[in-house]
Amino acid sequence: MNLPLSWLKDYMNTDGISEKEYADKLTMSGSIVEGIENPGAEFKNVVVGKIDKIEKHPDADKLVVCQVNVGEDEDIQIVTGASNVFEGAVVPVAKHKSTLPGGIKITKGKLRGVMSYGMMCSTDELGISKERAAGILILPDDTPIGEDITETLGLNESVAEFEITSNRPDCMSIIGLARESAATFNREFKIPEIKPTGNNEDVNDYAKVEIADPSICPRYTARAVKNVKIGPSPQWIQRRLTACGLRSINNIVDITNYIMLEYGQPMHAYDLDNIEGKKIIVRDASDGETLETLDEQPRELKSGMITIADEKRAIGVAGVMGGANTEVTDTTTTVLFESANFNPILVRRGAKSLGMRTDASALFEKGLDSENCLNAINRACELIEEMGAGEVIGGCIDIYPIKKTKTVLPFEPEKMNKFLGTDIPASDMAEYLKRLEFEVNGSNVEVPTFRGDIETMADIAEEVARIYGYNNLPTTMMKGRVTIGGKTLKQKTEDCIRELLTAYGMYETMTYSFIDPKEFEMTKVPADNVVKIINPLGEENSIMRTNMLSSVIKTLKINYNRRVPKAKIFELGMTYIPVENQKLPDEKIVVALGMYGDVDFFDLKGIVQNLLDDLGIKNAEFEADTESPAYHPGRCAKICAGGKIIGTIGQLHPDIAENFKLDTDIYCGELDFNTIMEFSTFEREYKSLPKFPASNRDIALVIDKSISVGKIEKILNDTKHGILESYKLFDVYEGQQVGENKKSVAYSLTFRAPDRTLTDNEINDVLNNILEKLKNCLGAELR
């Protein structure tokens, strides 16, 4: 928001306030001043000129040679390619050795062989418009020739640039910033009284207004002006608009922009003769309804947008932009001014849906004060009469179904002092609030309607603090109980898993949670119950994943297609399982693993087994799984602990690998994080180094081929709490020597006692007990 400091003088006395002091104090009181600049300081030797004669360039079809009067003894010659110049036009002229904004230097030179002693300027070249101009800026005919352009355009003054937060739309206006300035410097703030306007006619005879739903439009005011004279605005209005970064268009449009700057209330002007039935209807848009807006773009409206309509069609998108079908043109004779308040949520939704971000929508979507509508439209009519731009019709249409009331909060000086750590007298607090137009009545504070951000005692205390001065608040030590921060069990487990898997040589990846529905079929996973995205980026990202398998496969595929010889990856990702009769799905964390290249099933199993061991899960069991459709039926294992399934690992089924066009063996796994966290422990018991020697025994057992070694190790684990310290599988043999459908499994057993050296008899007793259990339970025979 730009504030010309000369405009500030209309509302308060600024004598004795330097620019630096103004910027510093306003910033300290909460209205951040980004800087104060004088746009005219960048100009040098740029004046007003008048084109006396135009001739065609002898060697260029698109260039003309102009003789320009710049208030000197002789005209200067300027060559230009602008198509909108004409004899008698008054234009800005950058003469030889002049400077434009941005440090652009202008000197004389030849254009296609003809000397040019300067340049005629457009709005963007003068820095008063960010958009590329279509031609040279044409100034009013009565502009003094030879006058410095900074005086003509009002650029030779200081302009403060404010950073306004979205909760303070009242400060997005000249009056709002003037109010803050007066309160900060403790000077009288006064808004000039608006003079009554209007003839003896009644505006209700000219137009009608209907609000279909008060929730979309709390207030709508309208006034009419007849015998309109479209023309340029007075210089003082043009200068103020230019200083605020707006370009002057014509007197009617300039008035609406001027009011938006002054009062922070967007306005719109309609050609009343083009409104069917002379009736304005504020309603919800219909799906498929169309409208060509003022930017000459066709727009398709839909339900949820606020539409301004007449009896037959839409004529504007409320709070965003008007329609071309009721645009004010040079032939307009009767204008209907609109000053209304619209639902901020619906305005933002409509602007976003149409891709139209306008100055009006930026204001409306922040929530404006409906009490401001009438003053704004009356001020606009006052300007109409002052400028002689038309005859204002008497009366005002004011539809106000939902009148805004003031918020009343308790006035609690003691509590506010305790909250701020201050000792400000209650009378001083009341004075600070009065400067900001709050009303303190005994034990209550009435909040002005334009301060929608004030809701609690803390908000009132903040207003007191910023006017009192943040720099005046005492410095105190922090109070309260100091607690030691720490990570939760979930965070510790996640960190531990990441650290361990990284230590095992795996790389962590991160993938999107939304996937292509086709991936369910490709991985043979049921897709009956999924979470669908309402507004997906595309079909390939239209549902939320229920498992991590396809995400891992796609990551491995990218690496494989890029000729990476081997890859080991993992991801802690979220899956989304719909829950019946609940709006939100169950979000589960899954530890997904994947690898290829010089690895097999046992590499993956070893990593998972080490992970579980390091997490303190000692009772995990691996069971063969032939039913999982995603994995090879002979190379898949289900992992269980405490009667619960931790996850599944194995080689990817060849059919699925083919679906993803992978011609190498892929090994994947999915582990349930919640189950891991349930059985993991970070408590470790210290054991001193053994003082007595160990004794080793090797045994080779012949068992049925169908029996897994896990069943043998379960029996060994049951005995391990005695003198059996550890065991290790070192050989598995199948052949004629052990018989058909048999296999030999060899283990190395380590025996040790913590308090003595074991005898052979003690070891043999335990060993025989183990062999007996293996024989009875598994039919194992000592080879």
Side-chain angles (χ1 to χ4, degrees):
M1 178 71 194
N2 289 343
L3 171 64
L5 296 185
S6 63
W7 200 344
L8 183 64
K9 296 178 181 179
D10 290 359
Y11 310 99
M12 64 172 285
N13 180 8
T14 61
D15 292 347
I17 302 175
S18 67
E19 293 181 3
K20 184 179 185 306
E21 182 185 11
Y22 180 80
D24 290 344
K25 286 197 173 183
L26 261 294
T27 299
M28 287 301 297
S29 69
S31 302
I32 301 174
V33 180
E34 293 284 352
I36 298 180
E37 296 181 357
N38 188 330
E42 293 188 89
F43 287 87
K44 179 183 177 183
N45 211 18
V46 184
V47 300
V48 176
K50 182 178 181 180
I51 302 175
D52 288 338
K53 186 178 181 181
I54 298 178
E55 296 178 342
K56 189 176 179 181
H57 193 289
D59 298 318
D61 294 336
K62 295 184 178 181
L63 297 179
V64 293
V65 181
C66 303
Q67 302 301 323
V68 184
N69 176 11
V70 291
E72 299 176 353
D73 295 338
E74 296 182 0
D75 290 356
I76 63 173
Q77 180 172 284
I78 296 177
V79 180
T80 181
S83 59
N84 66 325
V85 294
F86 55 91
E87 292 184 359
V90 179
V91 296
V93 178
K95 299 191 295 182
H96 173 53
K97 293 185 178 181
S98 61
T99 305
L100 292 173
I104 299 173
K105 306 289 185 180
I106 304 298
T107 58
K108 64 182 179 179
K110 288 185 178 182
L111 289 178
R112 299 293 294 270
V114 176
M115 285 298 299
S116 180
Y117 294 89
M119 181 181 77
M120 292 179 282
C121 304
S122 60
T123 53
D124 57 313
E125 290 164 340
L126 293 172
I128 60 177
S129 174
K130 295 181 180 179
E131 298 179 359
R132 180 71 177 175
I136 302 302
L137 173 63
I138 305 299
L139 299 171
D141 293 342
D142 58 353
T143 307
I145 305 303
E147 183 180 65
D148 193 296
I149 196 66
T150 59
E151 295 293 334
T152 303
L153 299 179
L155 299 176
N156 194 21
E157 71 165 318
S158 298
V159 178
E161 181 183 355
F162 284 84
E163 178 189 340
I164 308 299
T165 54
S166 58
N167 67 321
R168 292 297 306 274
D170 59 297
C171 286
M172 299 187 74
S173 65
I174 303 299
I175 289 177
L177 291 175
R179 182 188 293 113
E180 290 291 313
S181 302
T184 300
F185 287 94
N186 193 18
R187 299 195 177 186
E188 182 183 6
F189 169 69
K190 186 176 182 181
I191 302 176
E193 184 178 352
I194 301 173
K195 300 175 184 177
T197 55
N199 58 19
N200 295 327
E201 297 178 273
D202 187 355
V203 67
N204 292 284
D205 297 333
Y206 281 76
K208 303 292 181 185
V209 174
E210 175 188 334
I211 299 176
D213 181 0
S215 67
I216 66 175
C217 180
R219 189 177 193 182
Y220 192 102
T221 63
R223 296 194 69 177
V225 180
K226 68 177 184 179
N227 300 327
V228 171
K229 301 173 184 176
I230 305 294
S233 298
Q235 284 295 312
W236 66 272
I237 282 189
Q238 292 189 37
R239 290 176 179 178
R240 286 186 170 181
L241 291 177
T242 300
C244 291
L246 296 180
R247 182 169 58 89
S248 174
I249 298 174
N250 60 51
N251 49 4
I252 301 300
V253 176
D254 288 354
I255 284 174
T256 60
N257 286 333
Y258 187 88
I259 297 302
M260 182 175 68
L261 291 171
E262 186 176 33
Y263 280 81
Q265 172 63 45
M267 290 184 59
H268 188 66
Y270 299 95
D271 187 329
L272 185 57
D273 293 331
N274 289 332
I275 298 177
E276 296 288 346
K278 302 297 187 290
K279 184 176 182 180
I280 294 286
I281 304 172
V282 186
R283 58 171 173 80
D284 186 18
S286 302
D287 289 330
E289 194 171 7
T290 59
L291 170 69
E292 182 182 334
T293 47
L294 289 173
D295 57 0
E296 299 181 351
Q297 296 295 319
R299 311 283 181 180
E300 183 174 339
L301 311 181
K302 60 183 179 180
S303 180
M305 299 178 184
I306 311 174
T307 300
I308 307 297
D310 57 23
E311 291 184 340
K312 294 184 178 180
R313 63 200 169 154
I315 60 175
V317 182
V320 183
M321 188 177 288
N325 48 18
T326 54
E327 179 182 7
V328 174
T329 64
D330 293 341
T331 60
T332 299
T333 58
T334 308
V335 167
L336 184 71
F337 279 118
E338 165 195 284
S339 176
N341 187 269
F342 301 110
N343 185 303
I345 296 175
L346 297 182
V347 170
R348 176 172 174 78
R349 187 180 299 167
K352 188 176 180 181
S353 179
L354 293 172
M356 301 170 64
R357 181 76 172 183
T358 63
D359 292 336
S361 67
L363 279 169
F364 276 119
E365 67 189 30
K366 292 175 176 61
L368 299 182
D369 180 18
S370 55
E371 290 290 306
N372 203 27
C373 296
L374 188 59
N375 288 335
I377 202 167
N378 286 339
R379 171 64 168 152
C381 291
E382 180 185 36
L383 291 174
I384 287 287
E385 290 195 349
E386 284 184 6
M387 294 162 56
E391 183 180 352
V392 179
I393 304 300
C396 177
I397 299 174
D398 188 3
I399 310 298
Y400 202 0
I402 304 178
K403 185 170 178 60
K404 191 170 186 178
T405 58
K406 292 183 178 181
T407 300
V408 179
L409 297 173
F411 182 52
E412 302 169 305
E414 291 184 8
K415 187 179 291 187
M416 288 192 286
N417 272 324
K418 185 176 180 181
F419 179 73
L420 297 172
T422 56
D423 190 19
I424 305 173
S427 58
D428 289 356
M429 290 187 179
E431 172 61 23
Y432 298 153
L433 294 172
K434 183 180 178 182
R435 292 189 209 170
L436 297 168
E437 299 191 10
F438 290 73
E439 295 182 17
V440 180
N441 299 316
S443 60
N444 292 327
V445 177
E446 287 189 6
V447 181
T449 55
F450 55 80
R451 290 302 301 274
D453 59 311
I454 305 297
E455 298 177 345
T456 64
M457 180 278 294
D459 297 325
I460 297 291
E462 182 184 2
E463 298 302 299
V464 170
R466 66 191 188 87
I467 300 302
Y468 175 69
Y470 290 129
N471 56 316
N472 295 323
L473 296 178
T475 302
T476 57
M477 294 294 292
M478 181 179 66
K479 298 178 181 179
R481 181 178 298 175
V482 179
T483 58
I484 300 175
K487 291 187 176 182
T488 63
L489 176 61
K490 174 179 175 293
Q491 292 171 326
K492 288 180 180 178
T493 307
E494 288 178 340
D495 291 346
C496 189
I497 290 174
R498 287 189 172 97
E499 291 171 4
L500 290 171
L501 291 177
T502 302
Y504 301 154
M506 306 189 78
Y507 290 87
E508 184 176 5
T509 62
M510 185 178 294
T511 56
Y512 289 122
S513 297
F514 30 82
I515 61 174
D516 193 329
K518 296 176 183 177
E519 293 176 21
F520 283 95
E521 182 180 351
M522 295 172 69
T523 54
K524 298 184 179 179
V525 175
D528 300 332
N529 196 13
V530 297
V531 178
K532 296 181 179 179
I533 300 174
I534 296 177
N535 55 341
L537 298 175
E539 179 65 21
E540 67 279 6
N541 298 307
S542 60
I543 59 175
M544 305 301 291
R545 64 189 177 195
T546 58
N547 66 85
M548 295 281 293
L549 189 59
S550 63
S551 299
V552 171
I553 296 172
K554 287 190 294 183
T555 303
L556 291 175
K557 180 181 177 181
I558 291 173
N559 283 271
Y560 185 72
N561 289 344
R562 293 181 179 176
R563 301 181 183 277
V564 178
K566 57 184 178 179
K568 294 180 180 179
I569 65 169
F570 75 93
E571 179 178 353
L572 270 74
M574 199 77 72
T575 59
Y576 304 84
I577 313 299
V579 180
E580 189 175 356
N581 299 325
Q582 291 190 20
K583 186 175 181 180
L584 296 177
D586 184 14
E587 300 183 14
K588 292 185 177 181
I589 301 176
V590 172
V591 183
L593 307 99
M595 57 181 64
Y596 72 83
D598 196 24
V599 292
D600 58 19
F601 170 81
F602 295 103
D603 289 298
L604 178 59
K605 180 188 175 186
I607 288 176
V608 174
Q609 196 161 22
N610 285 337
L611 174 66
L612 298 179
D613 288 343
D614 289 340
L615 289 171
I617 306 175
K618 302 298 183 182
N619 58 342
E621 298 179 3
F622 291 76
E623 300 178 4
D625 184 1
T626 59
E627 304 298 328
S628 179
Y631 296 95
H632 191 295
R635 300 170 189 170
C636 177
K638 182 169 56 178
I639 310 167
C640 303
K644 294 186 177 181
I645 299 176
I646 293 179
T648 303
I649 62 171
Q651 180 183 338
L652 192 65
H653 197 288
D655 292 344
I656 297 178
E658 185 178 348
N659 291 339
F660 283 91
K661 298 181 180 179
L662 288 165
D663 57 1
T664 188
D665 293 339
I666 303 292
Y667 297 91
C668 300
E670 291 181 282
L671 308 178
D672 183 73
F673 176 81
N674 290 336
T675 307
I676 291 176
M677 188 171 64
E678 179 182 346
F679 290 106
S680 64
T681 176
F682 293 96
E683 296 180 1
R684 299 292 183 266
E685 183 180 350
Y686 169 75
K687 289 184 179 180
S688 60
L689 292 173
K691 297 180 181 180
F692 298 92
S695 296
N696 296 322
R697 296 287 191 274
D698 292 343
I699 60 173
L701 306 171
V702 179
I703 58 175
D704 289 342
K705 189 177 180 180
S706 61
I707 298 175
S708 66
V709 294
K711 293 181 179 181
I712 297 176
E713 293 179 358
K714 188 176 187 306
I715 294 175
L716 294 176
N717 284 328
D718 292 340
T719 315
K720 194 176 176 182
H721 64 275
I723 62 173
L724 177 61
E725 184 179 68
S726 63
Y727 58 85
K728 183 178 181 181
L729 175 69
F730 67 85
D731 183 55
V732 177
Y733 171 75
E734 296 179 15
Q736 295 180 354
Q737 295 182 12
V738 295
E740 189 176 357
N741 294 324
K742 296 287 185 177
K743 63 182 176 182
S744 172
V745 180
Y747 278 90
S748 177
L749 308 180
T750 301
F751 297 90
R752 192 197 306 266
D755 55 352
R756 66 189 186 280
T757 300
L758 294 174
T759 64
D760 287 342
N761 290 334
E762 289 178 302
I763 295 172
N764 290 335
D765 288 343
V766 175
L767 182 59
N768 291 333
N769 184 33
I770 292 172
L771 294 174
E772 186 69 24
K773 286 183 179 180
L774 292 171
K775 181 178 181 180
N776 294 335
C777 297
L778 305 177
E781 297 288 344
L782 193 63
R783 183 179 173 188

